[in-house]
């Protein structure tokens, strides 16, 4: 489960700088047990809906309760957060 407070904190941190390994390391240290990853937004499946949209990146939730991870919009079943960078054409 990911709380709204945790999600808001992650978004605030991501808004302050680059989506990079340093950010991921900081997030993982601050929130053990939550999986964090960064990717490009165009790597996300077309029909996925972000839980948050910010200038420069979208935020998706991951549910890993089954043996395969899937994108979700349910904070209650989420186990991870994807920060997906948007690069304007």
């Amino acid at each position: 489960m990911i709380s709204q407070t945790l999600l808001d904190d992650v978004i605030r941190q991501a808004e302050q700088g680059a989506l990079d390994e340093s950010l991921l390391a900081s997030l993982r240290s601050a929130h053990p047990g939550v999986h964090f990853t960064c990717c490009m937004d165009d790597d996300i499946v077309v029909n996925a809906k972000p839980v948050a949209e910010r200038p420069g990146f979208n935020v998706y939730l991951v549910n890993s309760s089954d043996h395969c991870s899937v994108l979700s919009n349910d904070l209650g079943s989420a186990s991870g957060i994807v920060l997906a960078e948007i690069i304007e054409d």
Side-chain angles (χ1 to χ4, degrees):
M1 179 184 141
I2 293 177
S3 69
Q4 186 64 52
T5 302
L6 187 152
L7 182 62
D8 293 342
D9 181 54
V10 168
I11 291 169
R12 261 191 307 280
Q13 289 185 53
E15 288 174 323
Q16 294 177 2
L19 302 181
D20 59 13
E21 287 302 317
S22 177
L23 172 64
L24 291 178
S26 174
L27 292 171
R28 289 173 182 146
S29 176
H31 307 287
V34 178
H35 178 76
F36 294 96
T37 191
C38 289
C39 68
M40 301 305 297
D41 195 65
D42 60 2
D43 290 334
I44 301 290
V45 294
V46 174
N47 61 349
K49 179 166 176 28
V51 294
E53 298 176 68
R54 296 295 186 270
F57 68 97
N58 287 329
V59 182
Y60 298 88
L61 298 176
V62 176
N63 176 338
S64 298
S65 62
D66 292 327
H67 64 264
C68 292
S69 295
V70 295
L71 295 175
S72 170
N73 284 341
D74 179 19
L75 287 166
S77 66
S79 57
I81 297 174
V82 177
L83 301 170
E85 186 173 5
I86 299 169
I87 305 257
E88 299 298 327
D89 292 330

Coordinates of all heavy atoms in Angstrom, one line a residue:
M1 N 0.8 -1.2 0.0 CA 0.0 0.0 0.0 C 0.9 1.3 0.0 O 1.9 1.3 0.7 CB -0.9 0.0 1.2 CG -1.8 1.2 1.3 SD -2.7 1.2 2.8 CE -2.6 3.0 3.2
I2 N 0.5 2.2 -0.8 CA 1.2 3.5 -0.8 C 0.2 4.6 -0.4 O -0.9 4.7 -0.9 CB 1.7 3.8 -2.2 CG1 2.8 2.8 -2.5 CG2 2.2 5.2 -2.4 CD1 3.4 2.9 -3.9
S3 N 0.5 5.4 0.6 CA -0.4 6.4 1.1 C -0.3 7.6 0.2 O 0.6 7.8 -0.5 CB 0.0 6.8 2.5 OG 1.2 7.5 2.5
Q4 N -1.4 8.4 0.2 CA -1.4 9.7 -0.5 C -0.3 10.6 -0.1 O 0.4 11.3 -0.9 CB -2.7 10.4 -0.4 CG -2.9 11.6 -1.2 CD -2.9 11.3 -2.7 OE1 -3.6 10.4 -3.2 NE2 -2.0 11.9 -3.5
T5 N 0.0 10.6 1.2 CA 1.1 11.4 1.8 C 2.5 11.0 1.2 O 3.3 11.8 0.8 CB 1.2 11.2 3.3 OG1 -0.1 11.7 3.9 CG2 2.3 12.1 3.9
L6 N 2.7 9.7 1.1 CA 4.0 9.2 0.5 C 4.0 9.6 -1.0 O 5.1 10.1 -1.4 CB 4.1 7.7 0.6 CG 5.4 7.0 0.2 CD1 5.6 5.7 0.9 CD2 5.4 6.8 -1.3
L7 N 2.9 9.4 -1.7 CA 2.9 9.8 -3.1 C 3.2 11.3 -3.3 O 4.0 11.7 -4.1 CB 1.6 9.4 -3.7 CG 1.4 9.7 -5.2 CD1 2.4 8.9 -6.1 CD2 0.0 9.4 -5.7
D8 N 2.5 12.1 -2.5 CA 2.8 13.6 -2.5 C 4.2 13.9 -2.3 O 4.8 14.8 -2.9 CB 1.8 14.3 -1.6 CG 0.4 14.2 -1.9 OD1 0.1 13.9 -3.1 OD2 -0.5 14.4 -1.0
D9 N 4.8 13.2 -1.3 CA 6.2 13.5 -1.0 C 7.2 13.1 -2.1 O 8.1 13.8 -2.5 CB 6.6 12.7 0.3 CG 8.0 12.9 0.7 OD1 8.4 14.1 0.9 OD2 8.8 11.9 0.8
V10 N 6.9 12.0 -2.8 CA 7.7 11.5 -3.9 C 7.6 12.5 -5.0 O 8.6 12.9 -5.7 CB 7.3 10.1 -4.4 CG1 7.8 9.8 -5.7 CG2 7.6 9.1 -3.3
I11 N 6.4 13.0 -5.3 CA 6.1 14.0 -6.4 C 6.9 15.3 -6.1 O 7.6 15.8 -7.0 CB 4.6 14.2 -6.6 CG1 4.0 13.0 -7.2 CG2 4.4 15.4 -7.5 CD1 2.5 13.0 -7.2
R12 N 6.8 15.7 -4.8 CA 7.5 17.0 -4.5 C 9.0 16.8 -4.7 O 9.7 17.7 -5.2 CB 7.3 17.3 -3.0 CG 6.2 18.3 -2.7 CD 6.2 18.8 -1.3 NE 6.1 17.7 -0.3 CZ 5.0 17.1 0.0 NH1 3.8 17.5 -0.5 NH2 5.0 16.2 0.9
Q13 N 9.6 15.7 -4.3 CA 11.0 15.5 -4.5 C 11.4 15.4 -6.0 O 12.4 15.9 -6.4 CB 11.5 14.2 -3.8 CG 11.5 14.3 -2.3 CD 12.0 13.1 -1.6 OE1 13.1 12.6 -2.0 NE2 11.3 12.5 -0.7
A14 N 10.5 14.7 -6.8 CA 10.8 14.6 -8.2 C 10.7 16.0 -8.9 O 11.4 16.2 -9.9 CB 9.8 13.6 -8.8
E15 N 9.9 16.8 -8.4 CA 9.7 18.2 -9.0 C 11.0 19.0 -8.8 O 11.2 20.0 -9.5 CB 8.5 18.9 -8.4 CG 7.2 18.3 -8.9 CD 6.0 18.9 -8.3 OE1 6.0 19.2 -7.1 OE2 5.0 19.1 -9.0
Q16 N 11.8 18.7 -7.8 CA 12.9 19.5 -7.4 C 14.2 19.3 -8.2 O 15.1 20.1 -8.1 CB 13.2 19.3 -5.9 CG 12.1 19.8 -5.0 CD 12.4 19.6 -3.6 OE1 13.4 19.1 -3.2 NE2 11.4 19.9 -2.7
G17 N 14.2 18.3 -9.1 CA 15.5 18.0 -9.8 C 15.3 17.0 -10.9 O 14.2 16.7 -11.3
A18 N 16.4 16.4 -11.3 CA 16.4 15.4 -12.3 C 15.8 14.1 -11.9 O 16.0 13.7 -10.7 CB 17.8 15.2 -12.9
L19 N 15.2 13.4 -12.8 CA 14.8 12.0 -12.6 C 16.0 11.1 -12.9 O 16.2 10.8 -14.0 CB 13.6 11.6 -13.4 CG 12.3 12.5 -13.3 CD1 11.2 12.0 -14.3 CD2 11.8 12.6 -11.9
D20 N 16.7 10.8 -11.8 CA 18.0 10.1 -12.1 C 18.2 9.1 -10.9 O 17.4 9.0 -10.0 CB 19.2 11.1 -12.2 CG 19.4 12.0 -11.0 OD1 18.8 11.7 -10.0 OD2 20.1 13.0 -11.2
E21 N 19.4 8.4 -11.0 CA 19.7 7.4 -10.0 C 19.9 8.0 -8.6 O 19.6 7.4 -7.6 CB 21.0 6.7 -10.4 CG 20.8 5.7 -11.5 CD 19.8 4.7 -11.2 OE1 19.7 4.1 -10.1 OE2 19.0 4.4 -12.2
S22 N 20.3 9.3 -8.5 CA 20.4 10.0 -7.2 C 19.1 10.1 -6.6 O 18.9 9.9 -5.4 CB 21.1 11.3 -7.4 OG 21.2 12.0 -6.2
L23 N 18.1 10.5 -7.3 CA 16.7 10.7 -6.8 C 16.2 9.3 -6.4 O 15.6 9.2 -5.3 CB 15.8 11.3 -7.9 CG 14.3 11.3 -7.5 CD1 14.0 12.2 -6.3 CD2 13.5 11.7 -8.7
L24 N 16.4 8.3 -7.2 CA 15.9 6.9 -6.9 C 16.5 6.5 -5.6 O 15.9 5.9 -4.7 CB 16.2 6.0 -8.0 CG 15.3 6.2 -9.3 CD1 15.8 5.2 -10.3 CD2 13.9 6.1 -9.0
A25 N 17.8 6.7 -5.4 CA 18.5 6.2 -4.2 C 18.0 6.9 -3.0 O 17.8 6.3 -1.9 CB 20.0 6.5 -4.3
S26 N 17.7 8.2 -3.1 CA 17.1 9.0 -2.0 C 15.8 8.5 -1.6 O 15.4 8.3 -0.4 CB 17.1 10.5 -2.4 OG 16.4 11.2 -1.4
L27 N 14.9 8.2 -2.6 CA 13.6 7.7 -2.4 C 13.6 6.4 -1.8 O 12.8 6.1 -0.8 CB 12.8 7.7 -3.7 CG 12.4 9.1 -4.3 CD1 11.8 8.9 -5.7 CD2 11.5 9.8 -3.4
R28 N 14.5 5.5 -2.3 CA 14.6 4.1 -1.7 C 15.0 4.1 -0.3 O 14.6 3.4 0.5 CB 15.5 3.3 -2.6 CG 14.9 3.0 -3.9 CD 15.9 2.3 -4.9 NE 15.3 2.0 -6.2 CZ 15.9 2.1 -7.3 NH1 17.2 2.3 -7.3 NH2 15.3 1.8 -8.4
S29 N 15.9 5.0 0.0 CA 16.4 5.2 1.4 C 15.3 5.7 2.3 O 15.2 5.2 3.5 CB 17.6 6.1 1.4 OG 18.1 6.3 2.7
A30 N 14.6 6.7 1.9 CA 13.5 7.3 2.7 C 12.3 6.4 2.8 O 11.6 6.5 3.8 CB 13.1 8.6 2.1
H31 N 12.1 5.5 1.9 CA 10.8 4.7 1.8 C 11.2 3.2 1.6 O 10.9 2.7 0.5 CB 9.9 5.2 0.8 CG 9.6 6.7 0.9 ND1 8.8 7.2 1.9 CD2 10.0 7.7 0.2 CE1 8.7 8.5 1.8 NE2 9.4 8.9 0.7
P32 N 11.8 2.5 2.5 CA 12.2 1.1 2.3 C 10.9 0.3 2.1 O 9.9 0.6 2.7 CB 12.9 0.7 3.5 CG 12.7 1.8 4.5 CD 12.2 3.0 3.8
G33 N 11.0 -0.7 1.2 CA 9.9 -1.5 1.0 C 9.0 -1.1 -0.2 O 8.2 -1.8 -0.7
V34 N 9.3 0.1 -0.7 CA 8.5 0.7 -1.9 C 9.5 0.6 -3.0 O 10.7 1.0 -2.9 CB 8.0 2.1 -1.6 CG1 7.4 2.6 -2.9 CG2 7.1 2.2 -0.4
H35 N 9.0 0.1 -4.2 CA 9.9 0.0 -5.4 C 9.7 1.3 -6.2 O 8.6 1.7 -6.4 CB 9.4 -1.2 -6.2 CG 10.2 -1.4 -7.5 ND1 11.5 -1.9 -7.5 CD2 9.9 -1.0 -8.7 CE1 11.9 -1.8 -8.7 NE2 10.9 -1.3 -9.5
F36 N 10.9 1.8 -6.6 CA 10.9 3.0 -7.4 C 11.6 2.8 -8.7 O 12.7 2.1 -8.7 CB 11.6 4.2 -6.6 CG 10.8 4.6 -5.4 CD1 11.2 4.1 -4.2 CD2 9.8 5.6 -5.5 CE1 10.5 4.6 -3.0 CE2 9.1 6.0 -4.4 CZ 9.5 5.5 -3.1
T37 N 11.1 3.3 -9.7 CA 11.8 3.3 -11.0 C 11.6 4.5 -11.8 O 10.5 5.2 -11.6 CB 11.5 2.0 -11.8 OG1 12.3 1.8 -12.9 CG2 10.0 2.1 -12.3
C38 N 12.5 4.8 -12.7 CA 12.3 5.9 -13.7 C 12.4 5.3 -15.1 O 13.1 4.3 -15.3 CB 13.4 6.9 -13.6 SG 13.4 7.9 -12.1
C39 N 11.7 5.9 -16.0 CA 11.7 5.5 -17.4 C 11.2 6.7 -18.2 O 10.9 7.7 -17.7 CB 10.9 4.3 -17.7 SG 9.1 4.5 -17.5
M40 N 11.2 6.5 -19.5 CA 10.6 7.5 -20.4 C 9.1 7.3 -20.5 O 8.7 6.1 -20.5 CB 11.2 7.4 -21.8 CG 12.7 7.6 -21.8 SD 13.3 9.2 -21.0 CE 12.5 10.4 -22.1
D41 N 8.3 8.3 -20.5 CA 6.9 8.1 -20.6 C 6.4 7.4 -21.8 O 5.4 6.6 -21.7 CB 6.2 9.5 -20.5 CG 4.7 9.3 -20.2 OD1 4.4 8.9 -19.1 OD2 3.8 9.6 -21.1
D42 N 7.1 7.5 -22.9 CA 6.7 6.7 -24.1 C 7.1 5.2 -24.0 O 6.7 4.4 -24.8 CB 7.3 7.3 -25.4 CG 8.8 7.4 -25.4 OD1 9.5 7.0 -24.5 OD2 9.3 7.9 -26.5
D43 N 7.7 4.8 -22.9 CA 7.9 3.4 -22.6 C 6.7 2.7 -21.9 O 6.7 1.5 -21.8 CB 9.2 3.2 -21.7 CG 10.5 3.5 -22.4 OD1 10.5 3.4 -23.7 OD2 11.5 3.8 -21.8
I44 N 5.8 3.6 -21.4 CA 4.6 3.1 -20.7 C 3.6 2.7 -21.7 O 3.4 3.4 -22.8 CB 4.1 4.2 -19.8 CG1 5.1 4.6 -18.7 CG2 2.8 3.8 -19.1 CD1 5.4 3.6 -17.7
V45 N 2.8 1.6 -21.4 CA 1.8 1.2 -22.4 C 0.8 2.3 -22.7 O 0.5 3.1 -21.8 CB 1.1 -0.1 -21.9 CG1 2.0 -1.3 -21.8 CG2 0.4 0.2 -20.5
V46 N 0.3 2.3 -23.9 CA -0.5 3.4 -24.4 C -1.8 3.6 -23.5 O -2.1 4.8 -23.3 CB -0.9 3.1 -25.9 CG1 -1.9 4.1 -26.4 CG2 0.3 3.0 -26.7
N47 N -2.4 2.6 -23.1 CA -3.7 2.8 -22.4 C -3.5 3.1 -20.9 O -4.5 3.2 -20.1 CB -4.6 1.6 -22.6 CG -4.0 0.3 -22.0 OD1 -2.8 0.2 -21.7 ND2 -4.8 -0.7 -22.0
A48 N -2.4 3.2 -20.4 CA -2.1 3.4 -18.9 C -2.5 4.9 -18.6 O -2.2 5.8 -19.4 CB -0.7 3.1 -18.6
K49 N -3.1 5.1 -17.5 CA -3.4 6.4 -17.0 C -2.6 6.8 -15.8 O -2.6 6.1 -14.8 CB -4.9 6.5 -16.7 CG -5.3 7.9 -16.2 CD -6.8 8.0 -16.1 CE -7.3 9.3 -15.6 NZ -6.5 10.4 -15.6
P50 N -1.8 7.9 -15.9 CA -1.0 8.3 -14.7 C -1.9 8.7 -13.5 O -3.0 9.2 -13.7 CB -0.2 9.4 -15.2 CG -0.9 9.9 -16.4 CD -1.7 8.8 -17.0
V51 N -1.4 8.5 -12.3 CA -2.1 8.9 -11.1 C -1.8 10.4 -10.9 O -2.5 11.1 -10.2 CB -1.7 8.1 -9.9 CG1 -2.2 6.7 -10.0 CG2 -0.3 8.2 -9.5
A52 N -0.7 10.9 -11.5 CA -0.4 12.3 -11.4 C 0.4 12.7 -12.7 O 1.1 12.0 -13.2 CB 0.4 12.6 -10.2
E53 N 0.1 13.9 -13.1 CA 0.8 14.5 -14.3 C 1.4 15.8 -13.9 O 0.7 16.7 -13.3 CB -0.2 14.8 -15.4 CG -0.9 13.5 -15.9 CD -1.9 13.7 -17.0 OE1 -1.5 14.2 -18.1 OE2 -3.1 13.5 -16.7
R54 N 2.7 15.9 -14.1 CA 3.4 17.1 -13.8 C 4.2 17.6 -15.0 O 4.5 16.8 -15.9 CB 4.4 16.9 -12.6 CG 3.7 16.5 -11.3 CD 2.9 17.7 -10.8 NE 2.4 17.5 -9.5 CZ 1.2 16.9 -9.2 NH1 0.4 16.5 -10.3 NH2 0.7 16.8 -8.0
P55 N 4.6 18.9 -15.0 CA 5.4 19.3 -16.2 C 6.7 18.5 -16.2 O 7.4 18.4 -15.2 CB 5.7 20.8 -15.8 CG 4.6 21.2 -14.9 CD 4.3 20.0 -14.1
G56 N 7.0 17.8 -17.3 CA 8.2 17.0 -17.4 C 8.1 15.6 -17.0 O 9.0 14.8 -17.4
F57 N 7.1 15.1 -16.3 CA 7.0 13.7 -15.9 C 5.5 13.4 -15.5 O 4.8 14.2 -15.1 CB 8.0 13.3 -14.8 CG 7.7 13.9 -13.5 CD1 7.0 13.2 -12.5 CD2 8.1 15.2 -13.2 CE1 6.7 13.7 -11.3 CE2 7.9 15.7 -11.9 CZ 7.2 15.0 -10.9
N58 N 5.2 12.1 -15.7 CA 4.0 11.5 -15.2 C 4.3 10.5 -14.1 O 5.4 9.9 -14.1 CB 3.2 10.8 -16.3 CG 2.6 11.8 -17.3 OD1 2.2 12.9 -16.9 ND2 2.5 11.4 -18.5
V59 N 3.4 10.2 -13.3 CA 3.6 9.3 -12.2 C 2.6 8.1 -12.3 O 1.4 8.4 -12.5 CB 3.4 10.0 -10.8 CG1 3.6 9.0 -9.7 CG2 4.3 11.2 -10.7
Y60 N 3.1 6.9 -12.2 CA 2.3 5.7 -12.3 C 2.5 4.9 -11.1 O 3.6 4.9 -10.5 CB 2.7 4.9 -13.5 CG 2.4 5.6 -14.8 CD1 3.5 6.4 -15.4 CD2 1.3 5.5 -15.5 CE1 3.3 7.1 -16.6 CE2 1.1 6.2 -16.8 CZ 2.1 7.0 -17.3 OH 1.9 7.6 -18.4
L61 N 1.5 4.1 -10.7 CA 1.6 3.1 -9.6 C 1.8 1.7 -10.2 O 1.3 1.4 -11.2 CB 0.4 3.2 -8.7 CG 0.1 4.5 -8.0 CD1 -1.3 4.4 -7.3 CD2 1.2 4.9 -7.1
V62 N 2.5 0.9 -9.4 CA 2.7 -0.5 -9.8 C 2.1 -1.4 -8.7 O 2.4 -1.2 -7.5 CB 4.2 -0.8 -9.9 CG1 4.5 -2.3 -10.2 CG2 4.8 0.1 -11.0
N63 N 1.4 -2.4 -9.1 CA 0.9 -3.5 -8.2 C 1.7 -4.7 -8.5 O 1.6 -5.2 -9.6 CB -0.6 -3.7 -8.4 CG -1.2 -4.8 -7.6 OD1 -0.5 -5.7 -7.1 ND2 -2.5 -4.7 -7.4
S64 N 2.4 -5.2 -7.5 CA 3.2 -6.5 -7.7 C 2.6 -7.6 -6.8 O 3.3 -8.5 -6.4 CB 4.6 -6.2 -7.3 OG 5.2 -5.3 -8.2
S65 N 1.3 -7.6 -6.5 CA 0.8 -8.6 -5.6 C 0.7 -10.0 -6.2 O 0.8 -11.0 -5.5 CB -0.6 -8.2 -5.1 OG -1.5 -8.1 -6.2
D66 N 0.6 -10.0 -7.5 CA 0.7 -11.3 -8.2 C 2.2 -11.5 -8.7 O 3.0 -10.6 -8.4 CB -0.2 -11.3 -9.5 CG -1.7 -11.4 -9.1 OD1 -2.0 -12.0 -8.0 OD2 -2.5 -10.8 -9.8
H67 N 2.5 -12.5 -9.3 CA 3.9 -12.7 -9.7 C 4.4 -11.8 -10.8 O 5.5 -11.7 -11.1 CB 4.2 -14.2 -10.0 CG 3.5 -14.7 -11.1 ND1 2.3 -15.4 -11.0 CD2 3.7 -14.7 -12.5 CE1 1.9 -15.8 -12.2 NE2 2.7 -15.3 -13.1
C68 N 3.4 -11.1 -11.5 CA 3.8 -10.1 -12.5 C 3.4 -8.8 -12.0 O 2.3 -8.6 -11.5 CB 3.0 -10.5 -13.8 SG 3.6 -12.0 -14.6
S69 N 4.2 -7.8 -12.3 CA 3.9 -6.4 -11.9 C 3.0 -5.8 -13.0 O 3.2 -6.0 -14.2 CB 5.2 -5.6 -11.8 OG 5.9 -6.0 -10.7
V70 N 2.0 -5.0 -12.6 CA 1.1 -4.4 -13.5 C 0.9 -2.9 -13.0 O 1.0 -2.6 -11.8 CB -0.3 -5.1 -13.6 CG1 -0.1 -6.4 -14.2 CG2 -0.9 -5.1 -12.3
L71 N 0.6 -2.0 -14.0 CA 0.3 -0.7 -13.6 C -1.1 -0.6 -13.0 O -2.0 -1.4 -13.4 CB 0.4 0.2 -14.8 CG 1.8 0.4 -15.4 CD1 1.7 1.2 -16.7 CD2 2.7 1.0 -14.5
S72 N -1.3 0.3 -12.0 CA -2.6 0.4 -11.3 C -2.8 1.8 -11.0 O -1.9 2.6 -10.9 CB -2.4 -0.5 -10.0 OG -3.5 -0.3 -9.2
N73 N -4.0 2.2 -10.6 CA -4.3 3.5 -10.1 C -4.8 3.4 -8.7 O -5.4 4.3 -8.1 CB -5.3 4.2 -11.0 CG -4.7 4.7 -12.2 OD1 -3.5 4.9 -12.3 ND2 -5.6 5.0 -13.2
D74 N -4.7 2.2 -8.1 CA -5.2 1.9 -6.7 C -4.0 2.1 -5.7 O -3.2 1.2 -5.6 CB -5.8 0.5 -6.7 CG -6.3 0.2 -5.3 OD1 -6.6 1.1 -4.5 OD2 -6.5 -1.0 -5.1
L75 N -4.1 3.1 -4.9 CA -3.0 3.3 -3.9 C -3.0 2.1 -2.9 O -2.0 1.7 -2.4 CB -3.3 4.6 -3.1 CG -3.0 5.9 -3.8 CD1 -3.6 7.1 -3.1 CD2 -1.5 6.1 -4.0
G76 N -4.2 1.6 -2.6 CA -4.3 0.5 -1.6 C -3.6 -0.8 -2.0 O -3.1 -1.5 -1.2
S77 N -3.5 -1.0 -3.3 CA -2.8 -2.3 -3.8 C -1.4 -2.0 -4.4 O -0.7 -2.9 -4.8 CB -3.7 -3.0 -4.8 OG -3.8 -2.2 -6.0
A78 N -1.0 -0.7 -4.4 CA 0.3 -0.4 -5.1 C 1.4 -0.7 -4.2 O 1.4 -0.6 -3.0 CB 0.3 1.1 -5.4
S79 N 2.5 -1.2 -4.8 CA 3.7 -1.5 -4.1 C 4.9 -0.7 -4.6 O 6.0 -0.8 -4.1 CB 4.0 -3.0 -4.2 OG 4.1 -3.4 -5.6
G80 N 4.7 0.0 -5.7 CA 5.8 0.8 -6.3 C 5.3 2.0 -7.1 O 4.1 2.2 -7.4
I81 N 6.3 2.9 -7.4 CA 6.0 4.1 -8.1 C 6.9 4.2 -9.3 O 8.1 4.0 -9.2 CB 6.1 5.3 -7.2 CG1 5.1 5.3 -6.0 CG2 6.0 6.6 -8.0 CD1 5.3 6.3 -5.0
V82 N 6.4 4.6 -10.5 CA 7.2 4.8 -11.7 C 7.1 6.3 -12.0 O 6.0 6.9 -12.0 CB 6.6 4.1 -12.9 CG1 7.4 4.4 -14.1 CG2 6.6 2.6 -12.6
L83 N 8.3 6.9 -12.1 CA 8.4 8.3 -12.5 C 8.8 8.3 -14.0 O 9.9 7.8 -14.3 CB 9.4 9.0 -11.7 CG 9.2 9.1 -10.2 CD1 10.4 9.6 -9.4 CD2 7.9 9.9 -9.9
A84 N 7.9 8.7 -14.9 CA 8.1 8.6 -16.3 C 8.3 10.0 -16.9 O 7.4 10.8 -17.0 CB 6.9 7.9 -16.9
E85 N 9.5 10.2 -17.4 CA 10.0 11.5 -17.9 C 9.3 11.7 -19.3 O 9.3 10.8 -20.1 CB 11.5 11.5 -18.0 CG 12.0 12.9 -18.5 CD 13.5 12.9 -18.4 OE1 14.2 11.9 -18.1 OE2 14.0 14.0 -18.6
I86 N 8.9 12.9 -19.5 CA 8.3 13.4 -20.7 C 9.3 14.3 -21.4 O 9.8 15.3 -20.9 CB 7.0 14.1 -20.5 CG1 6.0 13.3 -19.8 CG2 6.4 14.7 -21.9 CD1 4.7 14.0 -19.3
I87 N 9.6 13.9 -22.7 CA 10.5 14.8 -23.5 C 9.7 15.3 -24.6 O 9.1 14.5 -25.4 CB 11.7 14.0 -24.0 CG1 12.5 13.3 -22.9 CG2 12.6 14.8 -24.9 CD1 13.7 13.9 -22.5
E88 N 9.5 16.6 -24.7 CA 8.7 17.2 -25.7 C 9.5 17.0 -27.1 O 10.7 17.2 -27.1 CB 8.5 18.7 -25.5 CG 7.7 18.9 -24.2 CD 6.3 18.3 -24.2 OE1 5.7 18.3 -25.2 OE2 5.9 17.9 -23.1
D89 N 8.7 16.7 -28.1 CA 9.3 16.6 -29.5 C 9.6 17.9 -30.0 O 9.1 19.0 -29.8 CB 8.3 15.9 -30.4 CG 8.1 14.5 -30.0 OD1 9.0 13.9 -29.4 OD2 6.9 14.0 -30.2

